[in-house]
Amino acid sequence: MSRESGDNLDRNRSGNLPMASVMDLYLSRRSVMRGGLGAAIAMVAGGGLAGCFDNTSAKQEATSAAGGKPTLALGFQSIPGSRTDGCTIAAGYSAYVLAPWGTPLNSAGAAWKADGSNSAADQANAMGMHHDGMHFFPIDGSSEDGLLAINFEYIDQQALHPHGPTVDASGKRPAEEVRKEINAHGAGVVRLKKRDGRWQVVDNDPLNRRFTTASQMDIAGPLRGSEHVKTRFSPDGTRCRGTNNNCGNGYTPWGTYLTCEENWPGIFVNKGTLPADQARIGVVTSTGLYQWESAAGDSSEVADEFTRFNVTARGASATDDYRNEASTFGYIVEIDPYDASTRATKRTALGRVRHEGCCPGLAIAGKPLVWYMGDDSNNEYLYKFVSTAPWDPADANPTDRLATGAKYLDHGTLYVARFDADGKGVWLPLQTATPTLAGSTLGALYSDLPGIILHTRGAADAVGATPMDRPEWTAVNPLNGDAYLTLTNNLVRSADRADHANPRGPNLHGHIIRWHDSDDQLSFTWDIFVYGANASGSSEINRSGLSELNQFASPDGMSFDSRGVLWFETDNSEKSVAGYTNDQLLAVIPTQLLGTDGKQVAVNGQNQIDLRRFFVGPNGCEMTGITFTPDNKTLFINVQHPGNWPFSDKATDATPAGTRVRPRAATVVIQRVDGGEIGTA
Ligand code: FEO
Ligand code: CA
Ligand code: CA
């Protein structure tokens, strides 16, 4: 999320305090800390981890010469931090910019103009602002021709318009400016081809397209047709307009993209009494973040395009106004990148929160499919969705991808995680019969499944989920199915509300937690994989023994590649680490971090050389999005909200004195100079 416009306020009033109190009966938190990481895991997790991270088979697969496979090992040396306006990268690699904000995708969009004067229509046909999650979809399996599906998280109004946003004397935003802002949000699909060894955007490719905060979309799953999503635009509650604040992403085994709606509530305003779901998720009552609602009534307004951002109940019924417009946001949205005739589809069964990331578990024939999802605000929860239908590998190449999406993503169970002090955890189903801590049921609280989904956070409160330190991306190890979650930080967690899954209060640096689900999907075992920290931090802060060569804070974007290398990016706001380095990309191979018993261990003082800094972005940026070509020879990452880059190759300050540079988020393409696979030997 942006540091400027993000909203991760603590709106959790549940009082859920899951496990610290239990564990403290036996062991003070300080004694866990003093024991160091290994001791802490042993004490906190007990025997739970032994079975969980039994990694023998994966280790053998990764290293067995007899199996004909090369040893899996990082093939680069960690690089020092950097605080320049350029990228720094490990030796032997190259990096270049591709498709920055404003790059036209077709002939309807004019070339990007450095003075900010592109029109709203230009913006609707060009790369949006603030690149975030993305996924590479190969054409016919190629690693040199494919579609990049990508999120555009939010806007920088100062950079978007020639002189920043304006408001007229009556307090109204100009319609053209509002449309340009609406069109700069959302997601996109862009055809990329490698020519002469270098990736390029294929201008005017028929598969190039944009999804903005105005694009018509279908509502699918439990909310489809329900009273909660009927509006003047869609009286039958089957359609909606737009996706917004698309941050992390996911994908499916049948070749579709999942874009996740994160800090969308701010675009709405409700000047009446907030319903419970809007209060819990953070709809505001004074004025929308960008005042889009103020353009309502403009003589050029079409189909309530601005009116809809005012969700105050004003008409006789829900189909007379837009009181339900905010109920059409907060979802996982499925996009078929391979078929430009399809509409994006909101898969409401996966819950309604501030979604960040939606990583699939391993697709195993005959077993349900699983997606893991964070809700990024202070003290919010980790969720997962388990399909009702077991995975049929014949569905990997369907003729109708969104019909396959309906099969697996519209019917299933949404769960929320409770991390217990003994290193185990429980997935609590958000269903009508689920008992609440107060002795009721979710059905009694919210009537039915659509009601539960609408109030996902409230339902999770009621069943006793564990409040986490801002759950961001999830990732699943292809070698063993272990799942990982970045917990970026939590500045409002007080020390007395620290627990074993979120043991630092406040948590300035963030950490990465991992777990392994039971076969029945109802429980898991967990440990903390690595703690962010400054290298000079005390032992209570620097619990993973990080050095200057891998210190980091605020882990956020994260993905495994197909070989089992875990890559994670940072959105740092901790001043000690930020004083040493700009945001970065690090890599580690979890299945190679083994204890003397051959089982996986966390990053610690003995193995931390295996957690390595690979790339550092330019001043002011946050590293977001990560995806690979099938051959792992191209790595795409995004540089979001750079201070003033790309502009110059100067080593320090890229902005010539006295000039202003309009910053452009961009995708960065990383290749190995010798053409080999990224990151490994
Ligand atoms: Fe958009 Fe949670 O970062
Ligand atoms: Ca973030
Ligand atoms: Ca993020």
Side-chain angles (χ1 to χ4, degrees):
M1 83 164 52
S2 71
R3 290 168 208 142
E4 295 82 5
S5 65
D7 172 359
N8 50 57
L9 297 178
D10 179 13
R11 295 188 177 85
N12 188 339
R13 300 287 177 264
S14 68
N16 288 352
L17 185 61
M19 60 187 141
S21 54
V22 179
M23 196 63 186
D24 284 352
L25 289 175
Y26 305 98
L27 186 69
S28 78
R29 195 168 55 248
R30 284 196 61 80
S31 72
V32 174
M33 292 170 175
R34 271 200 306 273
L37 182 81
I41 287 177
M43 286 189 277
V44 172
L49 285 184
C52 163
F53 298 116
D54 182 350
N55 192 47
T56 309
S57 60
K59 169 73 173 173
Q60 286 173 340
E61 182 172 327
T63 60
S64 168
K69 294 187 178 182
T71 299
L72 185 64
L74 295 181
F76 65 93
Q77 298 305 311
S78 197
I79 61 172
S82 165
R83 296 185 65 201
T84 71
D85 268 354
C87 300
T88 57
I89 192 166
Y93 290 85
S94 67
Y96 55 91
V97 169
L98 186 75
W101 158 55
T103 302
L105 300 180
N106 56 58
S107 52
W112 181 78
K113 297 170 184 170
D115 63 359
S117 64
N118 284 94
S119 68
D122 288 343
Q123 184 59 80
N125 292 283
M127 296 293 279
M129 257 193 158
H130 289 176
H131 301 32
D132 207 296
M134 62 181 164
H135 193 77
F136 181 85
F137 293 90
I139 301 288
D140 297 328
S142 174
S143 288
E144 302 200 341
D145 182 7
L147 300 166
L148 191 69
I150 183 168
N151 293 345
F152 305 114
E153 187 185 19
Y154 74 105
I155 56 170
D156 174 346
Q157 290 176 299
Q158 294 298 328
L160 187 62
H161 305 296
H163 307 290
T166 63
V167 182
D168 73 13
S170 62
K172 289 180 175 292
R173 298 285 321 281
E176 170 73 3
E177 280 188 17
V178 173
R179 289 193 188 103
K180 188 174 180 184
E181 294 176 12
I182 287 170
N183 292 343
H185 284 86
V189 175
V190 55
R191 181 80 173 265
L192 303 180
K193 276 189 182 172
K194 203 172 171 186
R195 294 188 177 119
D196 299 325
R198 197 175 169 95
W199 288 91
Q200 298 174 8
V201 169
V202 181
D203 196 13
N204 279 315
D205 190 274
L207 293 175
N208 289 355
R209 60 173 170 157
R210 281 291 320 280
F211 303 85
T212 74
T213 305
S215 304
Q216 283 203 38
M217 300 186 176
D218 287 328
I219 299 173
L223 268 292
R224 181 178 176 83
S226 81
E227 295 299 320
H228 305 298
V229 290
K230 292 180 177 174
T231 63
R232 192 157 107 154
F233 171 75
S234 181
D236 66 357
T238 60
R239 291 275 187 98
C240 60
R241 280 179 282 185
T243 188
N244 185 266
N245 228 275
N246 304 74
C247 193
N249 74 283
Y251 55 92
T252 70
W254 54 92
T256 60
Y257 183 64
L258 301 177
T259 183
C260 310
E261 299 178 334
E262 191 196 17
N263 290 311
W264 53 272
I267 64 174
F268 297 106
V269 61
N270 186 342
K271 298 187 177 178
T273 303
L274 292 181
D277 68 289
Q278 290 184 11
R280 184 66 180 79
I281 211 158
V283 172
V284 299
T285 55
S286 54
T287 181
L289 178 62
Y290 304 117
Q291 297 174 260
W292 291 344
E293 74 282 359
S294 73
D298 185 272
S299 60
S300 69
E301 183 176 18
V302 175
D304 303 327
E305 62 183 312
F306 311 123
T307 301
R308 70 191 183 103
F309 294 106
N310 184 339
V311 299
T312 312
R314 291 175 289 180
S317 74
T319 55
D320 295 314
D321 60 24
Y322 289 92
R323 70 187 66 178
N324 287 336
E325 188 74 356
S327 303
T328 67
F329 284 78
Y331 299 111
I332 300 297
V333 185
E334 186 178 21
I335 287 171
D336 182 353
Y338 294 106
D339 184 349
S341 72
T342 55
R343 276 193 298 273
T345 301
K346 302 218 172 184
R347 298 295 182 194
T348 64
L350 281 73
R352 176 173 177 257
V353 295
R354 294 183 186 237
H355 273 295
E356 176 99 24
C358 189
C359 183
L362 304 186
I364 299 170
K367 303 276 191 183
L369 295 177
V370 179
W371 285 265
Y372 299 101
M373 301 170 283
D375 175 4
D376 179 14
S377 293
N378 290 318
N379 299 317
E380 293 301 336
Y381 305 121
L382 169 68
Y383 297 86
K384 77 168 176 180
F385 177 79
V386 179
S387 70
T388 299
W391 172 238
D392 178 355
D395 286 330
N397 290 295
T399 52
D400 185 339
R401 290 176 198 82
L402 292 180
T404 305
K407 175 180 175 181
Y408 293 104
L409 293 170
D410 286 348
H411 308 282
T413 304
L414 181 65
Y415 295 88
V416 67
R418 190 188 75 208
F419 289 80
D420 292 335
D422 59 359
K424 299 177 182 174
V426 177
W427 288 107
L428 303 159
L430 300 183
Q431 295 177 312
T432 52
T434 306
T436 66
L437 295 180
S440 181
T441 64
L442 290 181
L445 280 183
Y446 299 118
S447 300
D448 52 15
L449 184 58
I452 292 170
I453 296 287
L454 187 75
H455 299 85
T456 299
R457 283 182 168 184
D461 294 340
V463 300
T466 301
M468 307 295 285
D469 288 347
R470 292 187 54 199
E472 297 255 21
W473 289 49
T474 52
V476 173
N477 192 332
L479 299 178
N480 58 18
D482 290 349
Y484 291 68
L485 168 69
T486 46
L487 293 159
T488 200
N489 58 56
N490 187 344
L491 306 185
V492 305
R493 184 180 291 276
S494 55
D496 65 347
R497 285 182 64 90
D499 60 42
H500 292 85
N502 304 275
R504 296 181 295 192
N507 182 359
L508 304 180
H509 299 83
H511 56 289
I512 299 177
I513 199 166
R514 70 176 162 185
W515 65 94
H516 193 95
D517 281 345
S518 60
D519 284 344
D520 65 5
Q521 299 293 340
L522 299 178
S523 62
F524 57 93
T525 48
W526 64 269
D527 75 342
I528 292 176
F529 177 64
V530 64
Y531 293 89
N534 49 315
S536 59
S538 69
S539 59
E540 291 198 1
I541 294 297
N542 190 5
R543 298 176 177 210
S544 297
L546 303 184
S547 71
E548 276 203 343
L549 283 175
N550 60 13
Q551 61 178 334
F552 72 92
S554 302
D556 190 343
M558 177 173 64
S559 181
F560 276 92
D561 65 30
S562 61
R563 302 160 300 182
V565 181
L566 178 63
W567 302 81
F568 64 92
E569 300 166 317
T570 65
D571 177 14
N572 179 27
S573 56
E574 193 281 320
K575 65 178 188 298
S576 178
V577 177
Y580 172 76
T581 186
N582 293 339
D583 277 313
Q584 56 184 307
L585 170 68
L586 302 106
V588 60
I589 304 172
T591 53
Q592 298 289 33
L593 305 187
L594 301 178
T596 53
D597 59 0
K599 300 188 189 310
Q600 287 183 115
V601 296
V603 175
N604 61 41
Q606 286 69 55
N607 63 24
Q608 54 87 35
I609 193 170
D610 295 319
L611 169 63
R612 299 182 190 177
R613 183 179 296 122
F614 179 72
F615 177 94
V616 182
N619 291 345
C621 84
E622 163 187 350
M623 300 308 305
T624 61
I626 178 162
T627 189
F628 305 83
T629 50
D631 63 4
N632 291 310
K633 291 181 177 177
T634 301
L635 164 61
F636 299 96
I637 54 177
N638 285 324
V639 168
Q640 192 191 78
H641 60 78
N644 48 19
W645 177 93
F647 183 73
S648 160
D649 61 359
K650 284 186 188 174
T652 53
D653 188 352
T655 308
T659 65
R660 276 176 58 89
V661 177
R662 208 167 285 271
R664 300 174 80 184
T667 297
V668 171
V669 183
I670 294 173
Q671 293 168 256
R672 213 162 103 175
V673 173
D674 68 4
E677 294 184 22
I678 306 291
T680 53

